[in-house]
Amino acid sequence: MKFKLSLLATSLSTALLLSGCGGSDSSVEDKIKDAITENDTDESITIAGAIAVKVIDGYLTNAEICVDKNNNSICETDEKLDTLTDENGQLEITEENRQYSLIANVIAGKSSDTDRVGKSVKSYSMTATAGKTVITPFTTLASIQNLTLDELAAKYNLDSSIISGDYIEAKKAEDTKESAVKAHALARSIANQLDETISATKDDINIINKNIEKASLEIDNLINNDKIDVVDNSDLIIIDGKVTTSPITTDLKSYYENSKDWYVLIDGYDRLLKEKYENGKLTYLPLEYRSDVASPEEYSVINNKITFDSISYDNFSYEYSLIHTYIKSSFSIAHNSDGYEIFFITNKNLEDLSPLSISKDDLIDKNLHFIFNDKYNGVDESLAQLQFSSDHSFSSTEDGKTDSGSWSIVEYTLPDSEVTTKALELKFPGEDIQTEKWILLERNNDAMVFGSYYTHLIYNYESGENIEQEMLHLQGFSFYDKNTATSIFNQWKYGETLINDDLKKHIENDQYWYSASFNNSKYDENGFDKLNYKNGTVSGTNNDDSEAKSTAYTIEDNIISYTDIDDADISIYNSNSFDLRVDADANDLILNTTTNINEYEQINLTKEDFAKQSWFYIFDDSNNQNIEPRKLTFKYAENGKLTVNNEDLGDTWDIKDGKLVGISGDNNQPYEYFAILKDENSIILASEKDGNLCIEFALFKDKETADAIYHKWDSLVPTYNQYNQYNQYNQYNQYNQYNQSNKR
């Protein structure tokens, strides 16, 4: 938000929450190494006045811990610890807090489980009574049912010493492996049934106990049949009283390389690919309508991200990452880190398709949370709630607006095929009734994946002619659980931008925030805005230190709405050094920091900050009121050479007097920038113009963070069209009008 004279000048359209990033003490692991073992009891481990606690389903990273001081089983704001669990599920609490029960909140889209690839798609809470050093599904059920862990172990036919401590560590010892594998598998099954609040789980305890009994019997049966590895690497899914096993994906590389061919359906461009992953290389396989394929490309995997260094396709080369937000044995959901197209990836043959039949039981009286792309040629991330009634009416609610229509289940023969299936027919009323037929591509206990067919004009590479082709279109993903859908949607829409979970607490910190624009045309000699947020009111001083008008504000997700003047900001990045927000009056990118940049001090840069490193630059490339978001990759060679987006334009760089200096190759002009904010992952570079401080660039070491910030900012600037790599080789632009008119 920007104060201008005595006015607040900001506005915003709409936005949704990106789950945030917290910190944890990286030295915890060293301090308590080997302290929590398979034989761990309820004895505390005291380290320099602190107690080490571990949160386990698998080891849960970035889980939030609350000290339940009033013993009401509710995680209240003033009970939340500032530290989140580390990569081993560990953190420290004070000896004083050991006298209280603890609550661990697993946060969808933020917390991670070492059992699985990627972030959690489910939020749930666990608890442990005072004095425990582990928080697990077992301590949760013991607390809810007022049982000791010994009593709980007897009830569930488990080893008490195993479920009282780190059952994952206990799997390493032969004498405890079988009991620990059973405990770990049962813990996963329990965690899948836990709710967001302890009280909600307590309400479901009778059903959970029945399911545990069934899961326990299935585990015993598998172990007795020498299938302990199946138990150790599977989820036990209980639907309508039936127990099935579903493999867990713990390694994305093995997930792809151990399967058959993969089919990839990309929304935004209705592009179908057939792929093979082998020995760290990706090969595109031929499809019926095109036989040309790319050469094998090397890739690397880190957790839920596949990075392709140089994909070559139709003489066009580019670099990107594929970030997975949902992974099951039969299919996964991912998005491109640059273009943000959404990907449906399955081992089902989508070229010779046999859809699943849909029935009214899949729809009626269910709230289906539908993730989809609402733009034909491009990306517009959308989330709607679909409700289907028995009278064959349906409603779709998105961003508070509800549309309605009628639905039916119809017989549908796929184009150019003899395959017939049951499809969902939707009719949208209006001047011309629009009808769509959705087919069911995939279904599991979480979701349904819908597709449809559109008529496209396709360039045939062998004949050199354009031909009409009925192409499979990814309609979207429908999730039964709102929390799961919201998590996946937020990761798709916001990527790796870091938003503080409690934005109100973050900005109401008894400090002034100094606010400055990245747009060069908005600088003046009077300095930067100075704002204070407190108790739902923001006030501050103008640039000349005179008192500025104050206004009430509210926060929902990451939107800061200024109620008195009908304006708002969107927070798109938080760190300990600075925040970034978008002011949608002009879609301006705004720097916010508690450092007084009215009295700025230069932070000295060193050659080690840049030499042999890449930095991703975010900036406004306009010198007028129009906003032009840009993101460029700068690679700094030790010899003073500088490449921009992998191109050698003749730029040079050096560090002099703590400043970044050099010659710009495109115009042979010298440049000089200095740092006013800096941490290990980011830098804010500024310059002086006519004696005034001008904010120039936000630099990030992490590509995904920079991509996500740029994508979110750019999506709020309708006048600026993001360069899209796919248009270089799809040739869809010239057919857009034709294809749009033939959309079914």
Side-chain angles (χ1 to χ4, degrees):
M1 186 185 70
K2 292 283 291 174
F3 273 103
K4 290 297 180 185
L5 298 178
S6 294
L7 298 175
L8 291 163
T10 52
S11 66
L12 182 67
S13 53
T14 57
L16 291 171
L17 171 66
L18 167 74
S19 58
C21 174
S24 58
D25 186 350
S26 61
S27 64
V28 171
E29 181 181 3
D30 293 334
K31 293 178 181 177
I32 64 173
K33 185 177 181 181
D34 297 329
I36 301 178
T37 69
E38 67 271 22
N39 296 316
D40 201 3
T41 66
D42 294 339
E43 294 299 319
S44 65
I45 302 166
T46 304
I47 304 169
I51 311 299
V53 174
K54 183 174 282 192
V55 184
I56 316 174
D57 166 5
Y59 297 133
L60 291 162
T61 303
N62 285 333
E64 180 182 70
I65 305 300
C66 300
V67 180
D68 191 15
K69 294 184 177 180
N70 58 9
N71 200 34
N72 63 354
S73 297
I74 298 173
C75 180
E76 296 171 316
T77 300
D78 60 353
E79 295 177 332
K80 295 179 182 179
L81 299 181
D82 293 333
T83 302
L84 303 179
T85 55
D86 67 10
E87 66 273 14
N88 295 306
Q90 299 170 166
L91 83 168
E92 295 175 349
I93 64 170
T94 64
E95 292 187 55
E96 178 185 358
N97 284 336
R98 188 174 182 247
Q99 64 184 298
Y100 304 107
S101 295
L102 299 176
I103 298 172
N105 291 330
V106 178
I107 305 166
K110 175 177 181 178
S111 305
S112 300
D113 185 341
T114 54
D115 280 352
R116 311 170 194 278
V117 171
K119 296 178 181 177
S120 175
V121 294
K122 171 185 169 64
S123 290
Y124 59 95
S125 292
M126 299 191 295
T127 188
T129 54
K132 296 292 187 296
T133 59
V134 293
I135 307 172
T136 70
F138 301 116
T139 63
T140 303
L141 295 191
S143 175
I144 286 174
Q145 299 176 90
N146 294 317
L147 299 174
T148 66
L149 285 173
D150 287 340
E151 292 169 334
L152 187 82
K155 181 176 182 177
Y156 295 155
N157 191 28
L158 297 168
D159 186 325
S160 176
S161 67
I162 297 296
I163 68 169
S164 297
D166 185 345
Y167 44 78
I168 298 175
E169 183 70 21
K171 292 194 297 183
K172 297 177 181 179
E174 280 302 317
D175 60 337
T176 56
K177 179 178 179 179
E178 183 175 305
S179 296
V181 166
K182 177 177 180 178
H184 192 184
L186 201 57
R188 285 195 296 266
S189 179
I190 296 169
N192 287 334
Q193 302 173 72
L194 298 179
D195 290 297
E196 286 191 69
T197 64
I198 301 301
S199 60
T201 296
K202 190 172 184 178
D203 292 340
D204 295 336
I205 192 62
N206 290 334
I207 296 174
I208 292 173
N209 276 328
K210 290 179 181 178
N211 288 339
I212 291 173
E213 182 179 349
K214 293 174 181 176
S216 183
L217 288 173
E218 179 63 18
I219 290 170
D220 288 339
N221 179 58
L222 290 168
I223 291 176
N224 291 336
N225 284 279
D226 296 325
K227 294 183 178 180
I228 191 169
D229 288 340
V230 173
V231 174
D232 199 23
N233 295 287
S234 300
D235 269 325
L236 277 80
I237 308 299
I238 304 172
I239 302 176
D240 298 329
K242 296 181 180 179
V243 182
T244 59
T245 59
S246 176
I248 298 171
T249 301
T250 57
D251 174 38
L252 202 57
K253 188 173 187 292
S254 298
Y255 173 75
Y256 279 109
E257 295 199 347
N258 289 342
S259 181
K260 300 178 181 179
D261 299 339
W262 290 94
Y263 289 83
V264 183
L265 189 57
I266 308 172
D267 201 353
Y269 302 91
D270 293 341
R271 185 171 179 81
L272 178 63
L273 302 175
K274 186 178 179 182
E275 301 176 344
K276 184 76 173 180
Y277 289 81
E278 285 184 310
N279 302 318
K281 290 188 177 182
L282 165 66
T283 301
Y284 289 105
L285 302 178
L287 293 165
E288 180 181 345
Y289 71 94
R290 64 181 303 168
S291 60
D292 62 312
V293 296
S295 300
E297 299 291 348
E298 294 185 356
Y299 69 90
S300 57
V301 175
I302 300 177
N303 194 17
N304 65 329
K305 180 174 65 177
I306 300 179
T307 298
F308 305 93
D309 292 333
S310 181
I311 289 290
S312 299
Y313 209 88
D314 295 348
N315 298 318
F316 180 66
S317 180
Y318 62 100
E319 171 187 326
Y320 80 104
S321 296
L322 200 58
I323 301 170
H324 290 66
T325 55
Y326 180 86
I327 304 170
K328 293 291 184 177
S329 58
S330 56
F331 75 93
S332 60
I333 302 172
H335 64 261
N336 182 333
S337 61
D338 290 332
Y340 275 66
E341 295 84 10
I342 196 165
F343 290 59
F344 169 52
I345 306 171
T346 178
N347 48 34
K348 176 181 287 186
N349 188 339
L350 296 182
E351 194 175 16
D352 187 16
L353 183 63
S354 296
L356 304 173
S357 289
I358 191 168
S359 73
K360 63 181 181 179
D361 293 335
D362 294 318
L363 307 169
I364 295 177
D365 296 331
K366 290 182 170 64
N367 287 327
L368 302 179
H369 305 280
F370 192 59
I371 299 172
F372 64 105
N373 177 23
D374 202 21
K375 185 180 289 185
Y376 174 71
N377 194 2
V379 179
D380 179 14
E381 305 94 336
S382 299
L383 173 64
Q385 179 174 305
L386 302 180
Q387 293 181 300
F388 294 84
S389 300
S390 57
D391 63 359
H392 289 279
S393 65
F394 79 92
S395 64
S396 173
T397 303
E398 181 184 358
D399 295 332
K401 180 182 178 181
T402 300
D403 293 321
S404 60
S406 62
W407 69 275
S408 58
I409 304 293
V410 298
E411 291 284 338
Y412 178 57
T413 302
L414 302 189
D416 303 321
S417 170
E418 297 181 357
V419 175
T420 299
T421 188
K422 297 283 188 182
L424 171 62
E425 183 176 81
L426 300 175
K427 293 184 177 181
F428 300 85
E431 293 183 6
D432 297 317
I433 295 178
Q434 296 182 8
T435 301
E436 295 183 3
K437 290 184 175 68
W438 293 6
I439 56 176
L440 189 57
L441 301 178
E442 188 61 85
R443 177 203 284 123
N444 63 18
N445 58 298
D446 291 327
M448 294 183 287
V449 183
F450 290 101
S452 59
Y453 279 90
Y454 294 162
T455 302
H456 288 260
L457 196 62
I458 299 297
Y459 181 80
N460 187 292
Y461 285 79
E462 292 182 341
S463 67
E465 297 177 349
N466 299 323
I467 60 173
E468 286 190 357
Q469 178 85 26
E470 291 283 354
M471 292 287 291
L472 181 62
H473 168 69
L474 176 59
Q475 199 71 44
F477 306 91
S478 177
F479 286 86
Y480 302 109
D481 181 69
K482 180 180 179 181
N483 191 270
T484 300
T486 302
S487 165
I488 294 169
F489 174 77
N490 285 340
Q491 291 180 65
W492 176 31
K493 187 174 181 69
Y494 296 103
E496 296 297 316
T497 52
L498 310 179
I499 302 299
N500 194 284
D501 281 332
D502 192 341
L503 188 58
K504 188 172 189 296
K505 181 180 178 181
H506 176 68
I507 66 175
E508 287 195 350
N509 57 12
D510 292 325
Q511 297 185 72
Y512 279 98
W513 287 91
Y514 295 84
S515 182
S517 169
F518 278 78
N519 188 282
N520 289 342
S521 66
K522 299 186 178 182
Y523 297 126
D524 57 55
E525 68 275 10
N526 293 323
F528 302 104
D529 297 330
K530 180 180 176 183
L531 314 175
N532 180 255
Y533 294 81
K534 193 168 186 178
N535 299 325
T537 299
V538 58
S539 58
T541 63
N542 294 313
N543 298 334
D544 59 1
D545 277 340
S546 63
E547 185 176 354
K549 179 181 179 180
S550 63
T551 180
Y553 72 91
T554 58
I555 294 179
E556 182 176 355
D557 295 337
N558 59 325
I559 304 171
I560 308 171
S561 300
Y562 303 99
T563 54
D564 294 346
I565 53 177
D566 194 25
D567 288 335
D569 289 342
I570 178 171
S571 179
I572 63 172
Y573 177 82
N574 300 158
S575 75
N576 293 330
S577 303
F578 63 89
D579 293 356
L580 297 178
R581 301 181 200 164
V582 174
D583 162 9
D585 257 353
N587 305 303
D588 198 6
L589 184 66
I590 304 296
L591 168 72
N592 293 273
T593 176
T594 54
T595 299
N596 187 350
I597 52 178
N598 280 318
E599 301 174 0
Y600 72 91
E601 295 183 4
Q602 175 187 322
I603 300 173
N604 284 335
L605 299 170
T606 67
K607 286 194 174 183
E608 287 73 21
D609 291 326
F610 292 89
K612 297 193 294 186
Q613 297 193 58
S614 293
W615 284 96
F616 302 95
Y617 279 59
I618 303 292
F619 62 101
D620 183 353
D621 200 24
S622 171
N623 287 316
N624 54 46
Q625 292 293 325
N626 295 322
I627 305 298
E628 293 186 11
R630 292 295 301 276
K631 176 180 73 70
L632 296 176
T633 303
F634 284 61
K635 293 185 177 180
Y636 295 85
E638 273 191 305
N639 62 4
K641 294 289 186 180
L642 174 63
T643 59
V644 181
N645 283 7
N646 294 321
E647 291 188 57
D648 185 355
L649 302 176
D651 294 67
T652 63
W653 75 278
D654 200 354
I655 300 294
K656 291 184 179 180
D657 299 325
K659 298 178 181 180
L660 178 64
V661 300
I663 301 294
S664 176
D666 57 353
N667 56 18
N668 205 35
Q669 293 295 311
Y671 62 83
E672 179 179 277
Y673 302 115
F674 53 88
I676 60 168
L677 297 167
K678 181 176 180 287
D679 59 32
E680 61 182 8
N681 298 310
S682 56
I683 300 174
I684 296 293
L685 290 182
S687 65
E688 280 193 356
K689 296 179 181 178
D690 299 325
N692 299 325
L693 178 69
C694 298
I695 309 301
E696 298 282 2
F697 307 105
L699 279 59
F700 298 91
K701 280 190 176 179
D702 181 66
K703 182 179 186 296
E704 273 62 53
T705 300
D707 283 344
I709 292 170
Y710 168 72
H711 173 72
K712 183 56 207 171
W713 179 24
D714 184 49
S715 70
L716 296 173
V717 183
T719 58
Y720 182 81
N721 296 318
Q722 180 180 352
Y723 170 73
N724 197 297
Q725 293 161 327
Y726 281 106
N727 291 336
Q728 297 296 304
Y729 56 84
N730 277 353
Q731 302 188 32
Y732 277 3
N733 278 347
Q734 69 185 91
Y735 311 131
N736 188 29
Q737 184 175 1
Y738 174 89
N739 290 336
Q740 187 67 33
S741 66
N742 286 279
K743 190 174 180 180
R744 289 178 182 262

